């Protein structure tokens, strides 16, 4: 055979051998890396006549072919083979993929990833299984991949870190089953809470480390903080602490203050952090010249000067600047200027260390509300949130109304977090209002225990849902039992009756009260009431109600006053009433600023056996003297009841003392039968109280407050002519001091009061103690 022929035959044999070369691409490597010049020649030339898929178990061959970039009839192309390999790996369905050429057939050999049969958690004691399952992405009957498992491991670790457990470890384990299935087990070592072993400050000269530690939310680990997580390290809270420090210094007049760095260092045992804040305090400034300028027509800036809370010569306070801007915006808005922009122009003089402020009132851009988007409410209906908004679609935008709307939503008590922001709309001169909420539990099954001077030991049980079916309705079933009082009640409230701002409700009650110590009788009340409340303005609210009540005076001993004995028996009271309240307090539960006025009128006689007209007027004023730490409060109340064609019954009269006039026993003042010592109540009264609440200088988290107070009261005018009945409407005065504690077990208060002015027959009470809790 000629040499040239031998070479030709050898080349043909080599070409045939090349067709048997397989190309395997490991998942850990790059698919394209396998295509060297020699291997690429295997997939060069010729036409794909068929595609065969090997190794499939659950996945259809057609599914595999659908991911290929090359199909029968196409030419063998290394680039398309590379693309096909990448596409198959990217599906996450396969643990391994091999492509090879067998003549004109492209062979795709796959190894399928297993299917997850079950997911289990071991070692999780602090976090429930259900909460972990909500966080991870993998589920039973989902394809198992190493990447997805590692992502879920990271998610679980993040959950524990949010709880302050940075030492927690998670190790995934798989248990091989038949039919290419696996059980996935997350073995969790929760570790200990990663506390804060120390907080130090560098650069602080004007304030001590202790003062700055009080200003931030993160706290050093201590045994008494077992009911709070503030002593656990949280990186998000650390960022918040930086802002709290800035606010603290700006409030104290340090306008140049800045936080240079906030560093958290984990101890070698991974059980605690050391946190170091490096700060620059700068100089302290005072307010210089304060001025108001307005570009609005017919608006005289001089009329607004009394509104400003920033005064020349006072130490600079950034919070007071914000308060002034809010008050100016609100005041100008009340003058029917819909679009207002109040901006402070600040001029800082570092030589005199004074800051001049000019509040410029300009016409703001004409912006309207395009739409209101509500997110995060899974259970609560949109309309429950939307009806608390003071803005609606199409209204002129108002930042002050936006802030008040956010507070109204928070006051519902349905949400753990509320954040109201704005965003640009696709339409010019329009804005989008975004309401982000995070729901919290609104159902309560509470069991309570406590003690008070008036009631003695007491127990309390109630079942309540404050957001029934996500509609904002309030349903409560309760019972209270103490040494002198037994009360059972059912209450239902619909806050938006007929989809209007009408608060409608019904109450059914049965109350038994022991007045043996005060007036030698027991009282039992059974009945129901219907109520309806509605706003007359943003701060003025009207409430009307009807009440039908059966009252039984019983267990009157023969030693009791004859004026108590003659009240023995049963009476039916049918009354209607109204309550008008004007409330400008910053909080209805723990007010520190503002005032309220309340007028209540009841008239009985529309049926029943009792007829009277009862009137009460109450009010209060709260003044913060040092931020919100020192609060001076004054409250007062007047009351008068008039019998219509009959004497006012004992059960309908007023009784003063105890909580209403400290230093005196319950029903301790007023008309009294001096032969028996029984209190007979009165038909008119007046009382007032002045109280100063102040901190003890202890950490705020202790929840301790001191109180100094003076109480004044008078009660009298009972329609009885008897020398044995004393009825002096003289003024009683008492002074005292007290301590209150927001304990982990409920509020506790101890008052010590001493009467300065009293009558000889009054019943005194030196110490008054109350304690209650629900758990």
């Amino acid at each position: 055979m000629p040499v040239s022929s031998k070479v030709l035959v050898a080349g043909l044999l080599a070409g045939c051998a090349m067709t048997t070369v397989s190309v395997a691409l490991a998942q850990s490597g790059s698919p394209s890396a396998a295509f060297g010049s020699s291997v690429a020649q295997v997939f060069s030339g010729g036409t794909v006549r068929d595609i065969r898929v090997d190794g499939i178990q659950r996945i259809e061959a057609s599914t595999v072919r659908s991911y290929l970039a090359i199909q029968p009839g196409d030419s063998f192309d290394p680039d398309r083979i590379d693309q096909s390999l990448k596409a198959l790996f990217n599906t996450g369905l396969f643990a391994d993929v091999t492509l090879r050429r067998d003549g004109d057939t492209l062979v795709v050999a796959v190894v399928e990833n297993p299917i997850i049969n079950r997911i289990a958690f071991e070692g999780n004691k602090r976090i429930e299984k259900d909460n972990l399952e909500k966080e991870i992405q993998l589920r039973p009957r989902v394809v198992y991949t190493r990447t997805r498992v590692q992502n879920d491991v990271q998610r679980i670790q993040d959950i524990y870190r949010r709880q302050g457990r940075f030492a927690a470890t998670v190790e995934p384990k798989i248990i091989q089953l038949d039919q290419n299935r696996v059980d996935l087990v997350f073995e969790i070592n929760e570790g200990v809470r990663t506390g804060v072993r120390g907080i130090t400050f560098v650069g602080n000269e004007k304030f001590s480390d202790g003062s700055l530690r009080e200003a931030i939310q993160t706290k050093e680990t201590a045994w008494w903080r077992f009911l709070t997580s503030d002593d656990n390290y949280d990186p998000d809270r650390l960022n918040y602490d930086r802002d709290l420090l800035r606010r603290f210094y700006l409030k104290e007049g340090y306008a140049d203050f800045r936080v240079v760095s906030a560093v958290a260092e984990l101890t070698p045992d991974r059980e605690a952090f050391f946190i170091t804040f490096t700060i620059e305090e700068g100089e302290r400034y005072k307010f210089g010249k304060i001025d108001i300028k307005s570009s609005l027509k017919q608006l005289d800036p001089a009329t607004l000067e009394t509104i400003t809370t920033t005064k020349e010569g006072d130490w600079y306070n950034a919070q007071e600047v914000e308060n002034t801007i809010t008050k100016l915006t609100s005041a100008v808005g009340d003058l029917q200027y819909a679009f207002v922009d109040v901006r402070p122009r600040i001029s800082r003089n570092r030589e005199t260390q004074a800051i001049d402020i000019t509040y410029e009132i300009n016409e703001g851009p004409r912006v309207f509300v395009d739409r209101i988007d509500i997110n995060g409410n899974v259970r609560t209906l949109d309309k429950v949130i939307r009806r608390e908004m003071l803005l609606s679609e199409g209204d002129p935008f108002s930042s002050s109304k936006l802030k008040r709307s956010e507070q109204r939503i928070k006051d519902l008590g349905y949400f753990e977090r509320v954040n109201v922001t704005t965003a640009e709309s696709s339409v010019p001169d329009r804005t989008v209002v975004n309401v982000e909420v995070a729901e919290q539990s609104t159902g309560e099954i509470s069991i309570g225990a406590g003690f008070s001077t008036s009631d003695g030991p007491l127990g309390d049980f109630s079942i309540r849902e404050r957001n029934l079916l996500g509609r904002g309705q309030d349903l409560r079933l309760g019972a209270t039992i103490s040494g002198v009082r037994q009360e059972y009640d059912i209450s239902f409230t619909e806050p938006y009756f007929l989809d209007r701002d009408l608060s409608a409700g019904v109450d059914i009650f049965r109350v038994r009260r022991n007045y043996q110590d005060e007036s030698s009788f027991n009282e039992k009340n059974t009945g129901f009431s219907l109520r309806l409340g509605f706003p007359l303005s943003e701060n003025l609210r009207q409430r009307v109600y009807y009440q039908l009540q059966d009252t039984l005076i019983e267990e009157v001993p023969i030693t009791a006053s004859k004026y108590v004995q003659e009240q023995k028996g049963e009476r039916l009271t049918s009354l209607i009433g109204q309550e008008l309240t004007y409330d400008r307090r910053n909080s209805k539960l723990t007010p520190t600023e503002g005032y309220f006025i309340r007028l209540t009128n009841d008239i009985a006689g529309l049926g029943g056996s009792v007829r009277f007209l009862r009137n009460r007027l109450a009010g209060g004023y709260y003044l913060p003297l040092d931020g919100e730490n020192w609060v001076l409060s004054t409250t007062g109340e007047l009351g008068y009841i008039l019998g219509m064609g009959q004497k006012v019954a004992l059960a309908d009269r007023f009784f003063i003392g105890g909580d209403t006039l400290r230093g005196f026993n319950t029903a301790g003042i007023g008309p009294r039968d001096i032969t028996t010592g029984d209190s007979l109540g009165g038909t008119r009264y007046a009382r007032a109280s002045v109280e100063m609440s102040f901190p003890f200088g202890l950490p705020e988290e202790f929840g301790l407050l001191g109180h100094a107070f003076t109480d004044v009261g008078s009660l009298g005018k009972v329609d009885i002519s008897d020398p044995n009945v004393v009825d002096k409407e003289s003024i009683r005065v008492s002074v005292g001091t007290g301590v209150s504690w927001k304990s982990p077990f409920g509020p506790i208060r101890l008052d010590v009061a001493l009467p300065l002015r009293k009558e000889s027959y009054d019943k005194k009470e030196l110490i008054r103690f109350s304690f209650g809790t629900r758990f």
Side-chain angles (χ1 to χ4, degrees):
M1 181 178 294
V3 175
S4 59
S5 299
K6 291 180 179 180
V7 174
L8 177 61
V9 171
L12 291 173
L13 292 174
C16 293
M18 287 289 287
T19 62
T20 63
V21 177
S22 64
V23 180
L25 303 178
Q27 186 174 5
S28 60
S30 171
S32 60
F35 286 86
S37 59
S38 60
V39 178
Q41 293 176 2
V42 177
F43 293 102
S44 299
T47 302
V48 178
R49 301 300 180 187
D50 189 21
I51 297 177
R52 188 173 78 244
V53 181
D54 294 340
I56 55 175
Q57 298 180 32
R58 302 180 313 274
I59 303 171
E60 298 292 336
S62 59
T63 302
V64 177
R65 293 189 184 101
S66 67
Y67 289 106
L68 300 177
I70 191 169
Q71 298 296 328
D74 295 339
S75 301
F76 280 102
D77 184 348
D79 291 335
R80 288 190 178 185
I81 296 296
D82 186 26
Q83 294 174 16
S84 300
L85 217 45
K86 290 179 179 178
L88 288 172
F89 273 118
N90 290 337
T91 63
L93 299 173
F94 309 108
D96 193 17
V97 178
T98 302
L99 296 183
R100 71 176 187 272
R101 180 174 179 176
D102 186 4
D104 291 336
T105 300
L106 178 63
V107 180
V108 182
V110 298
V111 177
E112 295 181 359
N113 273 322
I115 294 294
I116 297 175
N117 176 64
R118 184 174 64 93
I119 298 177
F121 302 91
E122 294 182 357
N124 56 307
K125 298 178 181 179
R126 304 292 179 179
I127 301 179
E128 296 292 335
K129 170 188 172 184
D130 293 343
N131 294 331
L132 293 174
E133 288 178 342
K134 292 177 183 177
E135 290 290 333
I136 65 174
Q137 300 296 316
L138 287 172
R139 294 288 183 268
R141 297 180 296 279
V142 171
V143 175
Y144 169 93
T145 67
R146 184 175 301 175
T147 301
R148 290 178 178 177
V149 172
Q150 291 302 322
N151 290 338
D152 281 348
V153 167
Q154 186 62 47
R155 290 187 180 95
I156 296 172
Q157 288 178 333
D158 288 343
I159 297 174
Y160 279 98
R161 286 175 179 174
R162 288 198 296 269
Q163 288 199 351
R165 296 181 181 273
F166 281 78
T169 59
V170 181
E171 186 175 353
K173 298 289 183 65
I174 60 171
I175 301 173
Q176 296 287 348
L177 303 175
D178 57 359
Q179 298 179 355
N180 200 24
R181 296 176 302 131
V182 295
D183 285 344
L184 176 60
V185 180
F186 291 101
E187 294 184 354
I188 301 172
N189 180 4
E190 295 182 322
V192 297
R193 285 187 178 272
T194 313
V196 178
R197 193 166 295 173
I199 302 176
T200 57
F201 298 87
V202 178
N204 55 311
E205 298 178 357
K206 305 299 182 181
F207 297 95
S208 66
D209 283 12
S211 298
L212 297 183
R213 289 191 191 105
E214 286 299 312
I216 63 177
Q217 185 175 351
T218 302
K219 305 298 180 184
E220 292 180 344
T221 301
W223 65 268
W224 62 81
R225 296 191 173 104
F226 61 95
L227 290 177
T228 179
S229 61
D230 288 346
D231 58 345
N232 297 328
Y233 173 70
D234 184 341
D236 293 332
R237 190 190 298 133
L238 193 63
N239 290 329
Y240 180 55
D241 288 337
R242 295 171 65 109
D243 187 55
L244 289 178
L245 283 172
R246 184 184 65 84
R247 294 183 191 179
F248 174 81
Y249 271 94
L250 289 178
K251 187 177 179 180
E252 297 296 331
Y254 293 88
D256 295 330
F257 171 82
R258 72 187 187 98
V259 178
V260 179
S261 65
V263 179
E265 296 177 293
L266 187 62
T267 58
D269 57 9
R270 300 181 63 85
E271 292 185 357
F273 277 90
F274 286 99
I275 298 177
T276 303
F277 292 94
T278 303
I279 63 176
E280 290 182 2
E281 292 179 322
E283 298 296 331
R284 194 179 189 188
Y285 290 80
K286 288 187 175 183
F287 283 116
K289 183 179 179 182
I290 307 296
D291 194 13
I292 302 176
K293 292 184 178 180
S294 172
S295 63
L296 302 179
K297 296 180 180 179
Q298 300 179 349
L299 177 63
D300 184 6
T303 61
L304 302 174
E305 290 180 354
T306 57
I307 297 177
T308 61
T309 59
T310 52
K311 305 299 180 183
E312 184 176 353
D314 290 349
W315 290 112
Y316 175 76
N317 188 330
Q319 183 61 50
E320 290 301 324
V321 176
E322 293 294 328
N323 293 341
T324 299
I325 293 173
T326 301
K327 290 182 178 181
L328 287 173
T329 302
S330 179
V332 176
D334 292 340
L335 297 175
Q336 305 304 313
Y337 291 90
F339 303 97
V340 178
D341 182 25
V342 179
R343 295 185 180 230
R345 191 175 73 236
I346 296 176
S347 176
R348 185 178 312 180
N349 190 326
R350 288 185 168 83
E351 294 181 359
T352 61
Q353 295 179 8
I355 295 179
D356 299 334
I357 299 180
T358 301
Y359 296 99
E360 297 181 342
I361 304 175
N362 301 309
E363 184 175 1
R366 301 182 65 85
V367 178
F368 297 86
V369 178
D370 184 17
R371 68 179 188 274
I372 300 175
D373 294 336
I374 301 174
N375 300 296
N377 54 317
V378 178
R379 181 167 172 267
T380 306
L381 301 180
D382 272 13
K383 69 176 184 179
V384 173
I385 303 172
R386 192 175 294 273
R387 65 197 183 193
E388 299 300 326
M389 296 292 297
L390 299 176
L391 294 170
S392 300
E393 283 86 350
D395 286 353
F397 176 76
S398 169
S399 58
S400 60
K401 285 186 176 181
L402 194 70
K403 290 181 180 179
R404 296 202 301 272
S405 298
E406 183 175 1
Q407 186 60 48
R408 283 166 60 99
I409 298 173
K410 290 179 180 178
D411 289 343
L412 290 174
Y414 305 157
F415 308 107
E416 179 183 358
R417 184 178 66 257
V418 177
N419 188 25
V420 181
T421 58
T422 59
E424 292 185 1
S425 172
S426 58
V427 181
D429 73 9
R430 297 274 177 168
T431 188
V432 176
V433 176
N434 293 314
V435 182
E436 292 284 346
V437 299
E439 292 183 321
Q440 64 182 7
S441 175
T442 56
E444 301 173 1
I445 299 179
S446 60
I447 302 173
F451 176 85
S452 71
T453 307
S454 58
D455 290 337
L458 61 88
D460 176 272
F461 173 79
S462 69
I463 301 175
R464 184 182 184 188
E465 173 53 61
R466 295 181 289 108
N467 188 14
L468 187 64
L469 302 177
R471 299 177 179 272
Q473 299 164 335
D474 192 332
L475 176 64
R476 181 184 183 275
L477 292 82
T480 301
I481 300 175
S482 71
V484 299
R485 179 166 59 100
Q486 296 84 47
E487 180 176 349
Y488 309 93
D489 64 274
I490 301 174
S491 175
F492 176 78
T493 303
E494 167 56 70
Y496 273 75
F497 185 57
L498 301 177
D499 287 331
R500 298 177 180 272
D501 194 359
L502 297 172
S503 175
V506 58
D507 305 289
I508 303 173
F509 56 87
R510 181 180 179 87
V511 183
R512 185 180 184 276
R513 181 68 190 249
N514 185 327
Y515 288 106
Q516 294 292 338
D517 292 339
E518 295 89 357
S519 302
S520 301
F521 72 91
N522 289 348
E523 179 183 274
K524 185 185 295 182
N525 293 311
T526 306
F528 73 91
S529 65
L530 304 173
R531 44 192 164 76
L532 184 70
F534 50 90
L536 300 177
S537 68
E538 184 176 348
N539 303 112
L540 183 64
R541 191 167 186 87
Q542 175 81 63
R543 186 170 73 96
V544 295
Y545 49 88
Y546 171 78
Q547 180 174 301
L548 184 65
Q549 173 180 298
D550 178 80
T551 301
L552 175 64
I553 302 295
E554 59 181 0
E555 299 184 31
V556 180
I558 59 174
T559 57
S561 170
K562 65 179 181 179
Y563 301 107
V564 176
Q565 294 187 33
E566 69 183 15
Q567 298 288 319
K568 187 176 181 179
E570 192 171 3
R571 295 172 178 81
L572 182 66
T573 303
S574 174
L575 68 81
I576 59 172
Q578 74 85 32
E579 182 179 272
L580 187 64
T581 304
Y582 185 75
D583 197 340
R584 296 298 298 266
R585 293 175 295 177
N586 60 345
S587 171
K588 293 179 175 59
L589 298 177
T590 56
T592 58
E593 185 177 7
Y595 63 93
F596 76 94
I597 302 173
R598 181 180 297 116
L599 174 66
T600 307
N601 308 103
D602 300 327
I603 182 168
L606 301 177
S609 57
V610 177
R611 292 184 297 277
F612 62 77
L613 174 63
R614 183 168 54 202
N615 307 285
R616 284 167 290 184
L617 177 65
Y621 183 78
Y622 302 85
L623 177 66
L625 300 182
D626 179 22
E628 294 185 355
N629 295 324
W630 292 69
V631 179
L632 177 66
S633 62
T634 59
T635 57
E637 189 174 2
L638 301 171
Y640 180 74
I641 184 170
L642 173 68
M644 298 189 299
Q646 60 180 224
K647 292 184 178 180
V648 178
L650 179 65
D652 299 322
R653 297 173 194 161
F654 302 115
F655 292 86
I656 298 295
D659 291 329
T660 55
L661 186 62
R662 288 162 291 191
F664 296 88
N665 206 343
T666 302
I669 72 168
R672 188 178 302 277
D673 189 330
I674 57 176
T675 60
T676 63
D678 291 332
S679 176
L680 302 178
T683 59
R684 63 188 186 190
Y685 74 94
R687 68 179 185 88
S689 178
V690 179
E691 179 169 307
M692 173 70 76
S693 298
F694 53 89
F696 284 110
L698 298 172
E700 185 177 347
E701 61 193 294
F702 279 22
L704 282 171
L705 284 178
H707 307 274
F709 57 84
T710 298
D711 288 353
V712 180
S714 174
L715 173 66
K717 196 63 176 178
V718 65
D719 191 10
I720 298 176
S721 297
D722 189 323
N724 292 323
V725 175
V726 290
D727 183 7
K728 297 181 180 179
E729 289 186 275
S730 58
I731 300 296
R732 277 76 160 182
V733 180
S734 66
V735 296
T737 185
V739 177
S740 63
W741 178 32
K742 293 182 181 178
S743 77
F745 313 103
I748 296 176
R749 176 152 178 164
L750 175 67
D751 287 321
V752 179
L754 179 66
L756 296 182
R757 183 171 181 178
K758 65 182 184 64
E759 298 296 334
S760 59
Y761 53 84
D762 290 339
K763 304 293 185 180
K764 298 184 295 182
E765 180 182 78
L766 178 63
I767 299 176
R768 189 161 191 84
F769 174 78
S770 64
F771 157 63
T773 184
R774 284 185 175 177
F775 44 87

